[in-house]
Structures are given as structure tokens and as C-alpha cells.
Amino acid sequence: MRTWIIAPFIVALAACSSPETSRRADTQAALPPMKMFAQVTPMTPRLSNAILARDFLDLVFTLENGAKMPVFSRFEGPITLRVLGNAPPSLSPDLTRLLTRLRREAGISITRVPATQSASITVQPVTRAQIQRVAPSAACFVRPNVGSWEEYRARRNDPVTFWNRLTERRQMAVFLPSDVSPQEIRDCLHEEIAQALGPVNDLYRLSESIFNDDNFHTVLTGYDMLILRAHYEGTLRTGMSESEVAVRLPGILNRLNPSGRSASIASEESPLDGWKQAIDTATTPRGSRTKRRAAAERAVSLAGAAGLNDNRLAFSYYVLGRLSLSENPDKALGAFLAAGRIYQSRPDTAVQEAHVAMQLAAFQLSAGRPRVAINLVDQNLPVVSQSEHAALLSLLLMVKAEALEVLNEPSEAAAVQREALAWARYGFGAESEVRDRAAEILAISPRARRGPA
């Protein structure tokens, strides 16, 4: 299940409203055509197979609520997929790219069939409001043993549709919102179809995976494709117990990932009492700002006290920074710097580091250091493009464009801004959302404090 948590938006660092500057007219002009990503080659994971094996078992045999799956399950034989309802225009090309990747990178035999045919997996867009009425914190979700939204609504309390009763996979339904940005629709396609095929859990400790509720990764990574390839490896079968899968897993991973060769499986981690509850509270929009900020503080404290110096401590700082921006910018900056130090020290968190860099570049722009802001943006553009995160890419480019304006380089600024708006159309969707993001960046610029030129 993909959740609505903290999106990568800027909270204005300046209390004043945006000025009537030379580019105000540009933000009201017609938007450029939307940009979409071409095929990108994902990075190969650089992990020991002992760690990958532990991750696999935790992803496949434990649900997000801690319940255990009764047996290993997957689709046996060729898999079909259909789309019901009124699909937004961006869905079909993004779905085609995803299915191509699943066949090529994960070795899964999956094909799209017409909506009139029965299928192993049904994808049905509905409205965001419909989803939130049944799952308030979910952006999208997948449910076993139903084939449409109507059937799900009629059978949602039927134990046959519960994940913890699932013993074989014959039919899955993915429900995603039709009235959100193209990127959000694509992100849901990736995570929910992957869950329909394999892993049922999300783990905050994973740094190179979409199966993580921090939502830094938005499309299936090389790590995720390796997990899915292992899931559909020939020596595994539906109905196996966890111990039966564990016996076969080291050999499977050594064949699929020879650079990570290991004969063992890493030990289970001791639970970090209270941390997940704290971070879930901090990232749930329904709570008050004060309550969420206190929960983020608690997550930082718990992760630090446990001696963690990994993805979880860094994410705790990042969330604290996001929740402190409007009330205490200095505290937010300190939290972002702390998160950034951890992400920079690890080889597997470049995408996370780019999210922090976005916030730091905004601070540098606001502080009147446009060249520093541009350097931060330029350093992180390649990894953001590689990760296919259009929303983050557009914000970085908006900061760069405004920094160029501050440096009195209007022609280059206009070209960068046009590219930013083209990516924003994919990342944020509605024209009003795109213009709001552009206005936020303009509001934190030193030009906002100088007033009209």
C-alpha cells in the first residue's frame, strides 16, 4: 500500500508574499508541453546476499501490520493484466514501460489483455476520494481475490480477500486514483503491481527500494527487480513454508547476484520499540502539526538511542526538518544538515541525499547565495533524473532558474524555468499545483524581499 506522506514541496521560508517581479508574468503564461521519462537503466544493488535474503524473507512473509503470511505465494504460469474504467492518458504509456521492465529485468511473464477479458491482475482507476473513504491514509492499494472496485466494495469484509489468509495468488486488484498527477499514478502502478506479484511488506531500513514508506524511491529499482526475480525463480513454489524458502534462498541469490555471494542469511533485527509508531505518526497528514513534530522528535531520539546511523535515523531528521520549516527554519536547517551527513556517508542513499539537497538549495537561495544553490542543484540533477522523480526534478530546476534570475542571467533562467515547468506538469499534474510550486520558489527568493524591479 502506498501512503500519502510528506511530499517534496517547499514551505516558504519568507513570510512575505511573492513580488511582482519580471518572471511573475512567466509563471502566468501558458505552460510548456509535459515531459515524460524515456527508458532508464536502474542501478544494480551492491549488497551481500545474506542481507538480501533477510530482506526477502521479511518482505515476503510479514505484512506491514506485523502479521505473518501463512505460506509463500505467487502467480504460477503466465500472468495477465487488464485496465478497467476511465484511465488517465498517462497511465497506458507508463504501464507499458513497467510491464516491459518486469519482463526484461525480473523475468516475469506478464502481458496486458483487453478490459473485456478476465485477468490475473486488474488495475482500476477510481477517484482519490473513493480510496480515502475506505483507506484514509492510502494513496492506492491492492487486494487479493477481487476483480473490480464494485466487487471489492461488496466483499471487503470477506476473509477470502484478507492478505493474512492468502495461500495462493489467482486474482489481484489494484486501485489507484485517477485524479492526481501522472507521477502519482505511475508510482502507484509500480508499487501496487509489484505487491500484487510478490512482496507484501514495506521496511523503513531499505535504502534502495520502493518497498519503503519513506517514498524517496518512486519507481521499481534494481534492488526491487532482483527481489521480484528471486520471487519467481524456478525452485520456489506456492505453498512453501518460510523455512523451505529460506533453505533455497542463498543458492537462488548466488545465481542471480553472484557479486554478493554468501552461504548464510543475516539474522533478524531486534525491533526498535516505538520508532515505527513515532515515524508513522509524524508522516500521517491527519494529525496536528504539533503532534506530528513531537513524534518526529521522538523518532530522532529513539533512533539515536538505539545507536542507528542509517536510513532510519536520517529519515527521522528529514521528517523533523520538513515539519519544522514554517515554525522554526533554523531547527529545520539543522535537521536537514544532520540527515544530509548520514546520507552522504553511505553509497546507497544518493536519492535521499538529493531530497535533502533540494531543501538546502532553497535555504541557500533564500539566504542570498544563488551560486551555492545552483551548485547544489547541478550536483543532484543526474541522480534525480536516474530515479525518474519528476516532482523533485522540477523543484530543483525552479530553484536554479530563480538563482539565475538573482544573478541577472534572465535568458538562461527562462530556459531552465521552461524545463522545470515541463517536468512539473508530470510531477504535480494540475496547472494550479504547478503554478503554486513556482510561486513558492519565487516567494523565498531575495527578489521577494527587494520588491518590484
Side-chain angles (χ1 to χ4, degrees), residues 318-335:
Y318 179 80
V319 172
L320 178 60
R322 289 301 314 277
L323 292 171
S324 302
L325 264 172
S326 56
E327 287 82 8
N328 192 337
D330 288 339
K331 184 174 185 177
L333 177 58

Side-chain angles (χ1 to χ4, degrees), residues 37-176:
F37 291 98
Q39 192 65 48
V40 177
T41 302
M43 299 293 289
T44 301
R46 294 161 292 180
L47 288 174
S48 160
N49 287 344
I51 295 173
L52 281 168
R54 170 47 52 199
D55 292 347
F56 183 96
L57 293 174
D58 291 348
L59 285 167
V60 169
F61 283 98
T62 305
L63 292 166
E64 290 184 61
N65 62 8
K68 298 293 290 187
M69 292 291 287
V71 293
F72 176 79
S73 69
R74 68 182 187 188
F75 289 104
E76 300 292 348
I79 302 164
T80 54
L81 180 146
R82 66 175 181 171
V83 178
L84 294 184
N86 297 318
S90 66
L91 186 148
S92 188
D94 278 335
L95 178 59
T96 297
R97 287 186 63 215
L98 172 58
L99 298 184
T100 299
R101 286 192 60 198
L102 288 168
R103 289 190 292 267
R104 185 181 67 244
E105 299 171 39
I108 296 174
S109 176
I110 182 169
T111 55
R112 183 173 176 178
V113 297
T116 53
Q117 291 184 213
S118 60
S120 314
I121 299 173
T122 295
V123 174
Q124 185 167 359
V126 294
T127 67
R128 181 176 179 177
Q130 286 176 291
I131 288 176
Q132 292 189 319
R133 278 197 288 271
V134 298
S137 64
C140 41
F141 63 95
V142 57
R143 197 72 177 258
N145 294 320
V146 293
S148 69
W149 179 254
E150 292 73 20
E151 185 181 2
Y152 162 70
R153 291 296 306 275
R155 301 182 60 203
R156 57 183 295 204
N157 295 318
D158 184 343
V160 173
T161 70
F162 296 172
W163 280 98
N164 63 356
R165 303 288 185 89
L166 186 66
T167 57
E168 59 180 341
R169 301 196 195 198
R170 294 185 179 274
Q171 187 181 44
M172 293 278 176
V174 169
F175 304 114
L176 49 81

Side-chain angles (χ1 to χ4, degrees), residues 412-424:
E412 188 177 353
V416 173
Q417 183 72 354
R418 281 194 297 274
E419 184 179 5
L421 295 174
W423 285 117

